[in-house]
Amino acid sequence: MHLVQAGCRNTSRGYSMQNGLDRRLTSITKPKLKADAKPFAAFKHSEAERIRRMRINGQYATLRTILPNLIKMDKASVLAETIRRVRELKKAVEEVEAVCCTVVPGGEDGLSLEYSGGVEEDGQDSGAAGLVFIKVALSLEDRPGLMLELINAVKSVKGAGGVGLIRVVKAEMVTVGGRTKTLLWLQPMPPPASSGSSSGSGDYDGEGVLVMLRRTLRVVLVKK
Amino acid sequence: MHLVQAGCRNTSRGYSMQNGLDRRLTSITKPKLKADAKPFAAFKHSEAERIRRMRINGQYATLRTILPNLIKMDKASVLAETIRRVRELKKAVEEVEAVCCTVVPGGEDGLSLEYSGGVEEDGQDSGAAGLVFIKVALSLEDRPGLMLELINAVKSVKGAGGVGLIRVVKAEMVTVGGRTKTLLWLQPMPPPASSGSSSGSGDYDGEGVLVMLRRTLRVVLVKK
DNA sequence: TTCAACACGTGAGAC
DNA sequence: TGTCTCACGTGTTGA
């Protein structure tokens, strides 16, 4: 109950890094007597709390060195300035990204789809008439496992027979300031040659695939 | 001495915003009796401390909302992630600024001087042969009063007679993400027509002025 | 059980 | 004087 007020106060308001780690009952061993158990536990507890405080205060010290033009140095002001700065920097990155890095113009959801009905790079026809190559560009806040999510989303686009309709040919990612710009090169897969001629599929619903793809990718975009 | 342990614990580890502001001895008035003075002071003290804690915890809550991909939500982890993010964003802004916004190539100190010996825009000769127009571009962390510092630095460049050698014709600043890009258009002033012909000054040390100017501006750049 | 994280009330320095 | 900020040890809770 606050019977012991530790000697080291270090309240010089200098906001310097160093702290305790001072002279103290070092190398404590667990007491065998039951009477000593409680003071020992109390000491361990207060010591753990001291270490926790030191860790947090160390982060404050780091923030104080990182943030420019800090007027007030107290914790609340440091946190407030930190929040302001993070928002400012985030906005700056997004703005400058919008100006400098737009590869393919996308909609307001940051999702852009480009497709062609021609022949792909290696000159090999995919077999799906009217839709053989899709290029997807999207830009969003980075998160772990994003690429996996995107690929799974692409693979989840399936036709009537439960067979995948699109395969990922190439993928590129570039992250700047926590935002990720992703490029996907996709290739529609030919419908299963179950009936009719092998080169048929004249009724292949390329537009439908695109709609499904866009809807599926949008789920990934708005997630979290 | 911890005789009263407040009722509201709110230790649901939910890291939600709301907190106390709860039922409590409201609308306390200062007691007249001396015996009540101390408990009253203690209450006011603990209450003030509670408000302070709430303010700080509110900042933590805000940080938890604006930081993406937070795995651990405890205070130390939030601060650590904040530090990481600020550094990441700052670097991103600097990099993208270096790529997109370089107006005049500068040295490693971010200071670039350009000068011409011709005639300035309005066709009026400054009178100083060989150095009539200086354009300065510099990029550094923004700070309040920076422009004033720069102008004073320019004005502090003086000749033998203690007279100013340079005047500021135009100044532009643009700040992005806390970094400021500054453009200064300077004009050397003619040396005082104390002796010789009025159009003389053939021995005007334009190079010396540039050296002094660069040295003076560098002081502003490395400050703080 | 121990451990980690938290809110609390309090003593004390700074302004 | 009073107010503000901080470090401290403690009680408590969930894992």
Side-chain angles (χ1 to χ4, degrees), chain B residues 2 5 9 11 13 30 44-45 49 52 55-56:
Chain B
H2 276 177
Q5 197 75 351
R9 292 285 304 122
T11 174
R13 214 61 113 245
K30 199 162 188 174
K44 256 206 328 184
H45 183 26
E49 185 64 14
R52 173 178 166 272
R55 205 168 60 243
I56 293 179

Side-chain angles (χ1 to χ4, degrees), chain A residues 66-125:
Chain A
I66 286 184
L67 298 177
N69 314 327
L70 264 185
I71 302 143
K72 284 170 66 76
M73 283 295 201
D74 63 276
K75 295 184 178 180
S77 304
V78 168
L79 289 183
E81 177 62 17
T82 301
I83 293 171
R84 204 191 59 78
R85 186 110 180 99
V86 169
R87 287 180 167 149
E88 180 187 59
L89 285 171
K90 195 191 289 189
K91 201 171 70 173
V93 167
E94 286 178 13
E95 284 177 2
V96 89
E97 179 206 35
V99 172
C100 298
C101 307
T102 301
V103 181
V104 181
E108 70 286 347
D109 57 356
L111 172 61
S112 160
L113 264 67
E114 260 186 7
Y115 53 96
S116 73
V119 176
E120 53 174 311
E121 292 173 69
D122 54 4
Q124 175 188 340
D125 196 322

Side-chain angles (χ1 to χ4, degrees), chain A:
Chain A
M1 281 186 182
H2 275 177
L3 299 183
V4 181
Q5 196 76 349
C8 173
R9 291 285 303 122
N10 189 33
T11 174
S12 58
R13 216 59 118 243
Y15 297 106
S16 55
M17 181 57 190
Q18 45 71 34
N19 225 355
L21 277 182
D22 43 10
R23 65 285 163 292
R24 228 172 156 84
L25 305 80
T26 51
S27 74
I28 300 283
T29 56
K30 199 163 188 174
K32 300 295 171 289
L33 283 67
K34 194 182 284 183
D36 300 343
K38 206 187 296 184
F40 170 74
F43 170 77
K44 257 209 322 184
H45 184 28
S46 66
E47 192 66 9
E49 183 63 16
R50 155 189 293 271
I51 291 175
R52 174 179 165 271
R53 276 196 303 266
M54 278 179 54
R55 205 167 64 241
I56 294 180
N57 286 339
Q59 318 269 37
Y60 277 106
T62 305
L63 279 178
R64 278 186 259 261
T65 66
I66 286 184
L67 298 177
N69 314 327
L70 264 185
I71 302 143
K72 284 170 66 76
M73 283 295 201
D74 63 276
K75 295 184 178 180
S77 304
V78 168
L79 289 183
E81 177 62 17
T82 301
I83 293 171
R84 204 191 59 78
R85 186 110 180 99
V86 169
R87 287 180 167 149
E88 180 187 59
L89 285 171
K90 195 191 289 189
K91 201 171 70 173
V93 167
E94 286 178 13
E95 284 177 2
V96 89
E97 179 206 35
V99 172
C100 298
C101 307
T102 301
V103 181
V104 181
E108 70 286 347
D109 57 356
L111 172 61
S112 160
L113 264 67
E114 260 186 7
Y115 53 96
S116 73
V119 176
E120 53 174 311
E121 292 173 69
D122 54 4
Q124 175 188 340
D125 196 322
S126 70
L131 175 63
V132 298
F133 203 63
I134 311 173
K135 182 175 167 193
V136 177
L138 40 87
S139 173
L140 72 164
E141 190 95 355
D142 190 24
R143 59 173 180 256
L146 175 61
M147 182 58 96
L148 190 62
E149 284 182 53
L150 288 173
I151 292 178
N152 283 334
V154 169
K155 289 201 287 192
S156 75
V157 176
K158 292 181 177 170
V163 61
L165 292 179
I166 306 178
R167 71 183 181 96
V168 181
V169 178
K170 194 168 83 168
E172 276 185 14
M173 294 184 84
V174 52
T175 299
V176 50
R179 277 186 79 81
T180 291
K181 169 101 36 178
T182 306
L183 290 178
L184 295 176
W185 285 262
L186 309 178
Q187 185 185 20
M189 302 221 272
S194 55
S195 66
S197 64
S198 62
S199 67
S201 69
D203 56 348
Y204 180 67
D205 188 10
E207 279 299 322
V209 169
L210 274 185
V211 169
M212 282 158 53
L213 176 64
R214 178 178 282 273
R215 191 168 48 218
T216 308
L217 288 178
R218 204 170 298 190
V219 172
V220 179
L221 280 182
V222 301
K223 228 186 74 174
K224 206 188 172 197

